[in-house]
Amino acid sequence: MKPHITLVSPAAPAGAAMHMPFALLGLGYLAAVLEKNNYKVDVIDCQVLKLSPEEFRTEISRRQPDIVGVTSSTLTYQSGLKLIKIAKEACPNCITITGGSHVTFWDDKALQECAELDIVVRREGEYTMLELVQRIEAEESYDDVLGTTCRKDGKIIRNPDRPYIEDLDSLPFPARHLWPMEKFRELEDVLYLATSRGCVYWCEFCTTVRMHGRKYRMRSAKNVVDELEFLNKTYGISKFTFCDDAFTVDQPRTEELCREILNRGLKIQWNCGTRVDMITKELLAKMKEAGCITVWFGVESGTQQVLDAMKKGITPELTIKVLGWVRELGLKPVPNVILGFPGETKKSAWKTIKFVEKIAPDDVGFYNVATPFPGTPMYDMVKDKGWLRVTDFDLYDTTHPIFETPWLSMKDLGKLREGALHHYYLRTKFLFDKKRKFKVSTALIFAANLIADVKLKFRRK
Ligand code: B12
Ligand code: SF4
């Protein structure tokens, strides 16, 4: 009999900084490949449905799947393990599988930490999951499937990696219909999609490139615009976010994509993210013409010393130039910043905060706290040097300090992040901007930040 598969997304730990919920692309692709092969698949997204562990127990008991596949990141790893335990209790005969950006680098430990977990799928999961399901269906052994770590004769074995999928166009579009799409619309009028996998850089803090490889694999412009058109027709949505880490690595492909959107007369708006060294003013202008409104940049730091330590391969001067073009063209630049990377001092962090205010004066950037995710050189460094202080992954949401270095304590890093936000809102340029209409919300932000700032100053004394 064909197995019934339930894919599960855990909720983020209480109090963690979280984004609006949406149909996760990783699970969406897994589900689409399984459906294409005629398997019965459903999804329980605990974040979206706001399910408590006990409500999840009721839901999984009712469905009684043969295979349970749980996704997780570092932040949701522990919540994911709890759900695997519950699933095994509620459906004792089910096979439990997990995958995602954390367990890929925590595979043996996950199996040690959770007796109810049967298999870890490392890196890209579509064809590994399909092969596992096919073997389970055929009642064959599955302990030698490429890309998995599993148990055999009481030992944990790590099978070789599965080669990456070269032809991304061959994948079906994510099975978004398994999510309550109408519910998302009430929250946010945007759909998410990914046009590439992997990256050609090798930044010290980045999980993505270690997950998806140091080669930029991309879908064709036609295939991407087919998906945009499909989503536009099916859900009536005209706003999109490209989740690619570096959307413009292949500039001719980006140009072609813009041309294809224009040729098909698609009236859409979209956001994307990229690196400052992989874009030109001409390309930005084409992107704007094709509906682009916001571009995030991995600015990371305003000092060359920290950028070099991160192996980011960019300069603050280039960032100033490129974000200048973005603003000149009427697009919105959003800088992503990491405070507290090893080597950062209070002085360099403040230099970065002022830098961000200069390059994006109209909108606050994202100030992330440097977080050592397993699988990255940054994690190994922080651990080997004995700097790691927080091992509770529920706190790895990039707002909590996790380690301290001889140059920066966790307390100071926490204050720096708070200070960065307060400083932003207290700038006279922001407050007295003639273009900004006075709103109650602006007054409230101002008041809240003023109080917080005073508190912060007292604390520093
Ligand atoms: C979109 C996105 C988000 C979205 C959705 C998150 C999600 N879980 O999909 C939002 C905005 C919510 C988000 C938030 C955060 N994110 Co984010 N995000 C991304 C991004 C840019 C794309 C994810 C994606 O769709 N990828 C494409 C799909 C196809 O790949 P995938 O998700 O890895 O899934 C494949 C495999 O992992 C595997 N797989 C995954 N699950 C399962 C389950 C089973 C059973 C199997 C068999 C296989 C399998 O198969 C999938 C298909 O090939 C990635 C970077 C990236 N390129 O992956 C960062 C990334 C996942 N995010 C990251 C981080 C740090 C965060 C945040 C902590 C904070 C922040 N500052 O962004 C929060 C935490 C959110 C959470 N609940 O976990 C890190 C994760 C590092 C880590 N070890 O956890 C990444 C890798 C970015 C990076 N540069 O390092 N994020
Ligand atoms: S450029 Fe972005 S995706 Fe590429 S390695 Fe650096 S942080 Fe990761």
Side-chain angles (χ1 to χ4, degrees), residues 32-51:
V33 166
L34 292 170
E35 281 194 336
K36 195 175 161 189
N37 285 273
N38 304 315
Y39 290 103
K40 180 179 172 217
V41 193
D42 48 39
V43 170
I44 305 179
D45 192 322
C46 296
Q47 179 77 31
V48 170
L49 301 173
K50 296 197 175 82
L51 293 188

Side-chain angles (χ1 to χ4, degrees), residues 199 201-203 205-206 208-209 245 275 312:
C199 178
Y201 274 83
W202 201 239
C203 304
F205 54 82
C206 177
T208 303
V209 66
D245 299 84
R275 292 178 52 97
K312 185 73 197 180

